[in-house]
Amino acid sequence: MKIERFVINHLVKGEDLNHHGTLFAGRGAEWFVEAGFVSAANYLPAKYILCMKIHGMAFKKPVFPGEVIRFSSALVWTGKSRLISHVNATVKGQVAVEGFMTFVYVDDAGKTRPHQMRFEASNPEEEELQKQAQVLTY
């Protein structure tokens, strides 16, 4: 399958801020996982997708109240039952948060099962994301 990006936007409000007046890391992490989950749930039933691990989620710049943060996610690597999503979040075109997360596909008993999906890179950027994601599987 072709790699496809999914986008979620969030307005940063007062309740999303930390004691420095910028986006609270916990809220950013919540939205980060949500965005990654959306990329997996577009292909598989949501009730069978579990977040296993967040890899290297890094905040690159502060996000201020009133700004809109745009999370873009895509499944970039798949194993037998695992799926790795790349997520980046931008504010006014600048990267604010970036990283990867691993999901597993499970059955009704919570045991991993094969999803039978594979994603193909169609440009050098996607090839690089696949290389970075594959390293996370070891």
Side-chain angles (χ1 to χ4, degrees):
M1 282 188 251
K2 179 183 165 195
I3 293 174
E4 183 179 358
R5 287 217 160 256
F6 299 91
V7 176
I8 297 174
N9 294 296
H10 287 279
L11 172 65
V12 179
K13 300 176 289 206
E15 62 264 26
D16 304 320
L17 306 179
N18 61 23
H19 59 288
H20 295 286
T22 59
L23 179 63
F24 173 57
R27 178 74 73 199
E30 175 187 348
W31 293 343
F32 183 88
V33 172
E34 176 187 37
F37 184 83
V38 165
S39 67
N42 269 279
Y43 298 98
L44 298 167
K47 73 179 193 173
Y48 298 117
I49 302 167
L50 298 176
C51 182
M52 184 175 147
K53 185 173 185 178
I54 297 172
H55 309 271
M57 183 181 85
F59 286 82
K60 311 234 179 217
K61 67 179 271 348
V63 182
F64 299 98
E67 292 184 320
V68 174
I69 185 166
R70 172 173 283 189
F71 288 83
S72 172
S73 63
L75 290 179
V76 296
W77 186 90
T78 54
K80 183 178 176 183
S81 61
R82 284 188 283 173
L83 311 124
I84 297 181
S85 179
H86 172 260
V87 178
N88 74 347
T90 58
V91 175
K92 298 176 187 167
Q94 293 186 319
V95 176
V97 184
E98 186 171 25
F100 293 87
M101 70 191 65
T102 298
F103 295 94
V104 292
Y105 187 53
V106 299
D107 61 18
D108 286 320
K111 302 288 185 190
T112 60
R113 67 172 163 173
H115 49 64
Q116 302 183 16
M117 293 190 311
R118 184 180 174 124
F119 291 88
E120 300 293 331
S122 60
N123 59 53
E125 179 185 347
E126 290 176 354
E127 288 173 4
E128 180 58 30
L129 289 174
Q130 284 187 328
K131 286 179 188 173
Q132 291 176 30
Q134 190 170 13
V135 170
L136 302 173
T137 66
Y138 299 110

